[in-house]
Amino acid sequence: MSSDHRRMRALVRNHDWAATPLGDAAGWPPELRVAVDLMLDARQPALVGWRTPASDVMPVLFNDAYASLLGEQASQALGQPLGDILPAAWPHLAPLVDSALAGAPAWLDDVLLGPGTRHFNTGFSPLRDAVGTVHGFFHTAFEIDAGEHGRVEAALQRQAHESAEASRHRSEFLAVLAHELRNPMAPIRTGLEIMRLRADSPETIERVREMLERQTRQMTHLIDDLLDVARVTSGKIDIRKQLVDLNRVVASAVETSTPMIQGARHVLDVEMWGEPLLLDIDPTRVAQVINNLLTNAAKYTPPGGSIRLTVHKDRSDGGQAVVAVTDSGVGIPPEHHDTIFEMFNQVGRNMGLAQGGLGIGLSLVRQLVALHGGSVSAESPGAGLGSTFTVRLPLGARMAVAGDDAARQDRRTAQRRTFRILVVDDNTDAAESLSLLLQLNSHEIRTATNGRDALALAEAFVPDVAFLDIGMPGMTGFELATRLRAMPALARMTIVAVTGWGSEEDQARSREAGFDQHFTKPIAAETVSRLLAALD
């Protein structure tokens, strides 16, 4: 302990504590004595103070670190109001002292204390006696070094710049939105007037009707994009994952995008992967991602250009499916590589190549891909040299993640025996994806999309296991399970519910109907593996 510290302790012990609300230090509650001792030994500045009957806030005790902070004023500080000792900081500190004396801790970031230019984060907390009455306050300070203070200033400036940029983007977006909505509204309004004036001409009515349909589809697309962005941003978008073949999802997106691509006279080359690529995804949302990329390529490629879409498997990073869309379009200037996926950003507009749209398609792509645990990137040699957008999604057909020994053992166990399995689901894609997963392990599979066909199949096939959807039209899964269980030849069959209904009441009804297991969709590959392993 330093000599200054010993003198401070002596000063404290010899102080006329009887004149203070807490009286003699020897009579302090043990908790308070411990707190004061800890404060005196603290490395950061710390001070004890309270309000005198004359309403002055006086420091009655402080440690070496606070004495160093006060400098020459330290020797007289115990007899002066805190406002006189820290005149520059006092207007900021006074509300915190009032709060602490009222019983509520208070904190202030980045304030100058003492006669120098040292910045501190500082706090005030109530000082109570044994019965909880507030008599004073503890005041602690934590210095911010010059480097950190500079970083704080730089961060504030950066936030201000980003806020201004976001405001500018929003203003541009609202202007573009108004423009894009007026575009279809003008021909719709004109078309309605033509229909009124030429109601006697079927040919004219038919031409106008086709035009109204095109413009209505355009407006619907704009509104759907806006709603999807709002749902993603607010966390309310509904992702319904299931195990599906990515090739089929890509084919669906290509079919949707073909009219626009052909309308611009582009040549589209599609290269699928040579075998099923099973992914645990929402097929509708992933198709939307690929459709947006194809539409974007068509829009930003001059008429008669080329677009290439490839699907392949990348075995690095635990296994990924990769979809790449390459075009011969306007490209991406280097200065836009970092902002191409930002909301309301449209490179073509910035290059004087306005192509229509709201500039939210790529932002929506990035957010939807992220919700699936994937990533999307953009590459371009430069303006006018085309671009490539690459989506990476984790494979869903693996029975276990890398390093999961227990899951790998489950897979090996499940593969020791093959089963006859019946899959029943009115959702054809759901039934087919589960069937594909089971076929990978050499099980013999039959599928049905309704209860009637399932009963006929079961009677002839005599399955070992049946995976049944519950919410099917006509004969529900509950009724089907009851009727299957009543067949003598199927008495030992394992019946599993795979359904979107997962409440306790639904599970109780499953047990009553004869189900052995109840799983909510989407059912994971690992879950299927463990279930079959347990049957061996």
Side-chain angles (χ1 to χ4, degrees), residues 500-517:
W501 306 99
S503 69
E504 292 183 5
E505 181 182 353
D506 296 321
Q507 296 183 42
R509 289 188 64 189
S510 291
R511 289 191 294 271
E512 293 172 3
F515 283 95
D516 297 292
Q517 297 284 346

Side-chain angles (χ1 to χ4, degrees), residues 79-158:
Q80 298 183 47
L82 192 58
D84 292 345
I85 301 168
L86 302 171
W90 181 244
H92 305 290
L93 302 182
L96 280 68
V97 171
D98 292 340
S99 177
L101 292 174
W107 184 266
L108 179 66
D109 289 330
D110 198 1
V111 63
L112 285 166
L113 292 179
T117 58
R118 298 165 66 185
H119 290 258
F120 292 85
N121 295 331
T122 183
F124 290 77
S125 56
L127 187 155
R128 304 175 187 271
D129 62 15
V131 296
T133 303
V134 177
H135 292 286
F137 58 86
F138 284 110
H139 163 38
T140 54
F142 300 87
E143 187 169 9
I144 307 173
D145 62 43
E148 182 178 353
H149 189 263
R151 288 191 294 272
V152 170
E153 290 288 340
L156 290 174
Q157 292 178 8
R158 184 172 61 254

Side-chain angles (χ1 to χ4, degrees), residues 437-453:
L437 173 63
L438 295 167
Q439 286 170 0
L440 291 176
N441 291 297
S442 303
H443 299 296
E444 189 176 355
I445 312 299
R446 298 289 187 275
T447 61
T449 57
N450 59 74
R452 185 188 68 255
D453 292 346

Side-chain angles (χ1 to χ4, degrees), residues 247-446:
N247 288 321
R248 296 191 59 182
V249 176
V250 170
S252 174
V254 169
E255 183 179 354
T256 303
S257 310
T258 296
M260 181 174 183
I261 294 172
Q262 290 180 340
R265 304 191 308 280
H266 298 318
V267 175
L268 175 63
D269 179 23
V270 178
E271 181 181 339
M272 299 288 194
W273 187 243
E275 59 186 35
L277 271 178
L278 295 182
L279 274 66
D280 189 22
I281 56 175
D282 183 329
T284 301
R285 292 302 182 183
V286 172
Q288 182 180 4
V289 165
I290 298 168
N291 178 55
N292 275 12
L293 292 179
L294 288 171
T295 301
N296 189 75
K299 184 166 58 174
Y300 288 101
T301 299
S306 63
I307 301 173
R308 177 173 171 77
L309 184 152
T310 61
V311 181
H312 68 276
K313 182 191 296 186
D314 183 353
R315 298 188 184 278
S316 62
D317 297 328
Q320 294 180 320
V322 182
V323 180
V325 176
T326 301
D327 62 62
S328 60
V330 299
I332 307 171
E335 65 270 21
H336 290 290
H337 281 190
D338 294 335
T339 62
I340 189 68
F341 292 103
E342 290 182 2
M343 187 77 74
F344 314 140
N345 186 51
Q346 204 176 58
V347 170
R349 186 183 307 127
N350 296 330
M351 296 170 59
L353 297 168
Q355 301 288 324
L358 299 177
I360 61 180
L362 291 179
S363 175
L364 183 58
V365 163
R366 179 177 62 178
Q367 295 179 78
L368 289 176
V369 170
L371 288 174
H372 287 81
S375 64
V376 59
S377 60
E379 296 179 2
S380 173
L385 300 176
S387 56
T388 298
F389 288 84
T390 304
V391 173
R392 295 178 176 271
L393 295 167
L395 291 173
R398 295 172 299 145
M399 291 299 185
V401 296
D404 189 345
D405 294 334
R408 284 198 293 270
Q409 180 61 38
D410 286 341
R411 179 174 61 188
R412 289 193 294 268
T413 302
Q415 290 177 337
R416 286 204 299 265
R417 178 185 167 193
T418 59
F419 296 96
R420 294 188 304 276
I421 300 176
L422 175 65
V423 177
V424 186
D425 197 318
D426 63 313
N427 184 321
T428 304
D429 288 336
E432 184 172 349
S433 63
L434 181 54
S435 298
L436 284 170
L437 173 63
L438 295 167
Q439 286 170 0
L440 291 176
N441 291 297
S442 303
H443 299 296
E444 189 176 355
I445 312 299
R446 298 289 187 275

Side-chain angles (χ1 to χ4, degrees), residues 173-224:
F173 167 71
L174 291 174
V176 172
L177 175 60
H179 175 267
E180 291 297 323
L181 289 176
R182 286 193 187 102
N183 276 344
M185 284 300 297
I188 288 174
R189 189 174 186 178
T190 302
L192 291 173
E193 181 67 13
I194 292 173
M195 291 177 71
R196 186 182 67 82
L197 295 174
R198 297 296 307 272
D200 58 342
S201 172
E203 294 82 4
T204 300
I205 296 295
E206 179 62 19
R207 288 178 58 193
V208 172
R209 183 190 64 79
E210 293 175 354
M211 179 269 293
L212 293 178
E213 287 180 351
R214 288 194 302 272
Q215 298 303 322
T216 302
R217 283 195 299 269
Q218 173 67 8
M219 287 191 68
T220 301
H221 178 72
L222 293 174
I223 294 169
D224 284 346

